[in-house]
Amino acid sequence: KAGTEEAPEVNAAEAFCLEGMAEMDFWVPRESYSKVLVKVDGSAAIREIRTEDAEGEKILIPGSMLKGRIVRVAALIFLISMLLWAVHGWTRIVNCFRAAKRGILEDPRKTAINALIFLCAGGITWVGLRLYLPYLLGRPFNFVLNAFSLLAAAAVGCLLCFRKTLGKKPEVFFLVFCLLMGSVLTFFLPASLVSWDEETHAANALRFSYLGNARYTWQDEFTMTPGNSYDLTLSYFDGTIKEQDRLNQSGIAKWRSGMPGLRHFWYAFTGAGLFLGRALGLPYHWIWSMGRFFGLLSYATVGYFAIRRLKSGKMILSAVLLIPLNFFLASTFSYDAGVTSFLALGMSYLVREWQEPEKKLQWKNILIMLGALLAGCAPKEIYFPILLLPLFMRREKFTGKAQRRCYTGLTFLAMATLVLSFMIPFLTTAEYGDSRGGTTVSSGGQVGAILSDPLRYAEILFRFLRDYLNPDGFSLFATFFAYLGTAPYSNLYLVLLAALAFTDRDGRDLDIPGKGWSRGAMLLILFGTAALVATSMYIAFTPVGLDTINGCQPRYLLPLFFPAIMLLFSGRVRNEVNRAVYNGAFFAGIGFVGFSAVLMKCAALYV
C-alpha cells in the first residue's frame, strides 16, 4: 500500500496473491511518494523485493469492443466464410437445412416418431446414468455429472434416431460426437494448465485475441504460471471463479506486443474464442473456456471436411480423429490439434485421388491438398517428409506433362519451405535448442556427437523406436490426458481401430497408390518421419551424449496414424454389412471409450 509515513493508508491499493504465485508487480506514480509501505495480510514467504524506475499503467478490462477491432474481426470472419464457400461447405450447410425442412414437411409422422425415439433413448440413458454414476463413483450426483449425462444421452439419442445419416454420412456423427465429448472438457476443466506447454499456447492465443497488443491481467499471469495447482472440486465453481474475476478486474499486469508468426495460425481460432468471451463480458473461467471451445470447434470442422472427402475409410479417419487424446488436445490450448486435423485433410484429398484413378486431377483439389499438408506441417516442420507422399500420384491422373511438372514443383517448393524454416535458425544460432531440456542441452554439440559416432546413435534411435512404437504402450497414444492422467479402455480402442483397418474398405483401396513397391516406399517414409521426430528431440531436448531420447511424447505420432492405416491394409476384405448398423456399432464403441475418458478424467473429479 502506497502513502506517506504519517498516512500510510492514503491512496492504498490491494492485490490478491493466490496459492502458487511466484511473484507480484506493484507500481506507484513517479516522484509522488517518499516512502512505500507494503502490508501482508496473511502469510507469505518473501524472497526479495526489487525496484526499478519505470512507468506503469493500470487499465481495467474494456467492457465494449473497439470499432477498429470489429472491422478486423469482421474481415477475418469474411475470409473464413469465403474459404468455406470455396470448398462448398457453406452451400452444403444451407442444403442440409433445406433438406431437413423438406423432410419435416413431407413426412411429419416420421419426424414425430424420430423425435420420440430420440427423447426415449436419451431419457433412458440419462436415468440410467443418474442411477449408476453415484454407485460407480461413490458420491452424490452433482451438476457436472448431470451435464455429462445429458450430453452422453444426446449422443445415444442421435445414434438411434438418425439412422439414415449414420449410414451415409458418418462425418456428421464425427462432428456431433467430437463436440459433445469435447464440450465437457472445454467448459468443465478449470482455467489452469492441464495440458503440455499450455502456458505457451494460451499466451499465443491471447496475443491473437488482442491482435498483437496483448494485455495480461493479474489472473492471466497467475493462470499461465507453470506449476500452479488446479482446482477440480465443486467449490471451484463457487469461490475460485469469483476470485478469478476479482483478480482479472484488478487491472493489467503487463503488455506484450507483436503477433505470432503465420505458421502459428491455429492460435487465431482459440484467440477468436477469447476475444468473443471478453466482448460478451463473460466471467474469466468462461472466457478461458470459450478459447478452448473455439479450438475444439475448429478441429471438428476441419475433421468433418476431411472425412467427407473420402470415398472409403471414413470410419477409419473418424476413429483416428476421435482418439480421446486427440479431442483432449483439441479441447485445450494446443496446436497439436491443428497439425493432426490439417494433415488429415490433406491426406484425405490425396487418398481420394488414389481411390479414383479414372478421374483427372483438378487444380482446385491440388491446391487444397498441398495447402492443407503445408498448414499441418507448419507448426512442426519436422513432419516435412509427409509431403513426399503426393509424389506417388499415378501418371494417368495428370492432364499432361506441364501439369505434372508444375505439381511436382509445387510439392518440392512446399517441402523446401518447411525444411528451410527450421534449418536456417539451427545454422545461424549458436545454441539452438529447447531450454526445458536442461543446461546440458546443446544442439550443436549433439549433432557433433551424432556425426562422430553415427552407429552408436543408430543403436540409440532404433532401441528407442522399438519401445516408442510398441502397441503395449497404446494407452499413451489413446487415453493419456496429460497432467490429468490416463483414462481406461485404451485396449478396447486399439481393437476398434484394428477392426476398422481391416473392414472399412472397398474395391477402391485394392491398389493404393498403383504399384506394390509404392506402398512399401510410403510406409518407409512414414517410419522415417517418426525417426526424424525422435531425432529432433534428441538434438533439441536431450543432453549431449545421453543414451536415450528425452521429451519425445507419443502424441507426436498421432498425425501419422491415418496414412499408416490406409497404407498397411488393402481392400481385399469386402464389407457388405448394412452401413447404418456397421457405423452405429463402431460409433457406439468409440463413444463408450471417449465418454468414459471424459467422465473419469474430468466430470468424476468434481466432488
Side-chain angles (χ1 to χ4, degrees):
K1 295 183 180 181
T4 64
E5 185 175 6
E6 294 77 15
E9 303 298 326
V10 174
N11 296 330
E14 287 187 312
F16 297 94
C17 179
L18 300 181
E19 182 181 357
M21 289 185 68
E23 63 180 58
M24 298 187 70
D25 294 334
F26 302 88
W27 69 273
V28 295
R30 187 181 305 210
E31 299 179 356
S32 297
Y33 304 100
S34 59
K35 295 181 180 180
V36 175
L37 175 65
V38 178
K39 287 185 177 181
V40 178
D41 184 8
S43 61
I46 300 177
R47 291 195 301 268
E48 61 177 327
I49 297 177
R50 290 177 296 176
T51 61
E52 60 180 12
D53 185 21
E55 290 285 356
E57 188 171 6
K58 177 179 178 180
I59 302 176
L60 295 179
I61 306 301
S64 61
M65 295 185 294
L66 301 176
K67 292 181 180 180
R69 192 184 306 166
I70 294 175
V71 171
R72 289 191 288 268
V73 172
L76 179 62
I77 294 174
F78 175 77
L79 291 175
I80 294 174
S81 301
M82 290 299 99
L83 175 62
L84 292 176
W85 186 279
V87 295
H88 306 295
W90 179 252
T91 304
R92 289 178 179 271
I93 292 173
V94 172
N95 290 339
C96 179
F97 279 104
R98 288 176 179 172
K101 180 181 178 180
R102 187 167 55 250
I104 293 173
L105 295 177
E106 291 177 355
D107 196 346
R109 180 174 175 273
K110 181 180 179 181
T111 302
I113 292 174
N114 281 336
L116 183 62
I117 292 173
F118 180 87
L119 291 175
C120 289
I124 292 172
T125 302
W126 181 84
V127 171
L129 291 172
R130 174 69 178 81
L131 297 174
Y132 178 65
L133 290 182
Y135 167 76
L136 173 68
L137 303 173
R139 63 182 68 115
F141 203 67
N142 56 55
F143 75 94
V144 179
L145 292 176
N146 189 37
F148 166 83
S149 300
L150 288 172
L151 294 176
V156 174
C158 289
L159 279 177
L160 297 178
C161 181
F162 302 105
R163 297 174 298 279
K164 183 178 179 180
T165 303
L166 180 61
K168 293 185 176 181
K169 297 181 178 180
E171 60 269 23
V172 174
F173 272 78
F174 158 78
L175 185 68
V176 170
F177 271 57
C178 187
L179 292 178
L180 289 177
M181 293 186 292
S183 292
V184 180
L185 300 175
T186 58
F187 291 109
F188 288 107
L189 284 176
S192 304
L193 307 179
V194 298
S195 184
W196 299 281
D197 304 323
E198 201 171 7
E199 67 276 10
T200 301
H201 302 309
N204 283 328
L206 193 67
R207 290 163 68 189
F208 263 107
S209 74
Y210 283 105
L211 298 177
N213 196 15
R215 303 166 180 175
Y216 287 70
T217 68
W218 291 107
Q219 180 58 40
D220 288 328
E221 281 284 275
F222 174 74
T223 300
M224 289 184 280
T225 300
N228 290 339
S229 60
Y230 45 82
D231 191 359
L232 281 174
T233 62
L234 290 175
S235 61
Y236 172 81
F237 290 97
D238 296 328
T240 307
I241 284 182
K242 295 178 182 179
E243 188 66 26
Q244 288 175 346
D245 287 336
R246 283 199 298 270
L247 199 56
N248 190 51
Q249 294 296 328
S250 65
I252 305 303
K254 66 181 179 182
W255 293 77
R256 285 291 183 271
S257 60
M259 293 277 280
L262 287 177
R263 71 187 188 94
H264 296 303
F265 69 95
W266 187 256
Y267 297 128
F269 301 117
T270 49
L274 294 175
F275 168 78
L276 183 60
R278 288 198 307 270
L280 294 174
L282 298 177
Y284 185 84
H285 169 84
W286 301 112
I287 293 174
W288 188 272
S289 297
M290 286 291 289
R292 285 172 166 171
F293 180 75
F294 268 56
L296 173 69
L297 181 62
S298 303
Y299 174 79
T301 303
V302 177
Y304 167 85
F305 286 114
I307 297 166
R308 192 196 68 183
R309 181 65 185 170
L310 293 169
K311 281 291 186 181
S312 70
K314 290 188 175 187
M315 284 303 301
I316 292 174
L317 184 52
S318 296
V320 169
L321 294 178
L322 286 176
I323 289 175
L325 177 53
N326 265 333
F327 71 74
F328 168 75
L329 290 169
S331 303
T332 60
F333 289 98
S334 172
Y335 60 50
D336 291 275
V339 173
T340 301
S341 59
F342 272 97
L343 285 180
L345 179 63
M347 285 304 305
S348 69
Y349 270 78
L350 178 58
V351 171
R352 171 71 177 266
E353 297 299 336
W354 289 339
Q355 292 172 339
E356 295 180 324
E358 72 283 357
K359 290 188 177 181
K360 298 294 184 182
L361 275 171
Q362 298 180 10
W363 274 112
K364 179 190 72 174
N365 295 334
I366 292 174
L367 294 177
I368 293 175
M369 176 181 66
L370 295 180
L373 291 176
L374 182 61
C377 292
K380 292 186 176 180
E381 304 95 333
I382 201 64
Y383 291 116
F384 73 89
I386 290 179
L387 278 159
L388 290 171
L389 301 184
L391 297 177
F392 291 85
M393 188 70 70
R394 295 171 181 264
R395 292 188 178 185
E396 296 80 6
K397 293 286 295 181
F398 298 97
T399 57
K401 291 184 178 180
Q403 187 191 39
R404 186 183 177 193
R405 285 195 295 267
C406 191
Y407 172 86
T408 304
L410 284 175
T411 304
F412 277 113
L413 177 62
M415 190 161 47
T417 302
L418 294 172
V419 173
L420 290 176
S421 65
F422 72 84
M423 284 301 296
I424 290 177
F426 174 76
L427 295 174
T428 56
T429 304
E431 290 297 329
Y432 182 76
D434 195 325
S435 59
R436 294 169 301 170
T439 57
T440 57
V441 170
S442 170
S443 296
Q446 195 73 284
V447 170
I450 293 173
L451 295 178
S452 64
D453 195 350
L455 292 180
R456 177 178 177 272
Y457 176 67
E459 180 185 358
I460 293 172
L461 176 63
F462 283 102
R463 185 173 64 248
F464 173 80
L465 291 176
R466 180 190 61 196
D467 298 329
Y468 190 48
L469 304 176
N470 193 333
D472 289 341
F474 186 71
S475 62
L476 298 177
F477 295 94
T479 57
F480 185 38
F481 279 14
Y483 307 146
L484 300 176
T486 304
Y489 306 120
S490 60
N491 289 335
L492 174 58
Y493 210 96
L494 180 60
V495 171
L496 291 172
L497 272 179
L500 284 170
F502 279 104
T503 60
D504 190 30
R505 303 287 188 167
D506 61 23
R508 302 181 187 92
D509 301 320
L510 279 172
D511 195 21
I512 293 177
K515 295 180 180 179
W517 64 268
S518 300
R519 189 186 296 264
M522 287 191 290
L523 285 171
L524 186 61
I525 289 172
L526 293 178
F527 178 79
T529 304
L532 276 177
V533 169
T535 301
S536 68
M537 298 308 296
Y538 189 70
I539 293 173
F541 200 86
T542 307
V544 176
L546 199 67
D547 61 354
T548 188
I549 298 175
N550 290 343
C552 192
Q553 300 178 20
R555 62 190 170 102
Y556 298 153
L557 292 187
L558 289 175
L560 307 181
F561 272 34
F562 174 63
I565 291 174
M566 293 301 292
L567 292 170
L568 276 171
F569 305 96
S570 69
R572 299 187 185 279
V573 176
R574 295 304 180 94
N575 185 356
E576 298 181 358
V577 179
N578 180 281
R579 294 303 298 191
V581 175
Y582 176 85
N583 293 351
F586 277 102
F587 268 118
I590 291 168
F592 173 76
V593 178
F595 274 107
S596 296
V598 169
L599 171 66
M600 301 309 295
K601 294 293 125 186
C602 179
L605 300 179
Y606 283 97
V607 293

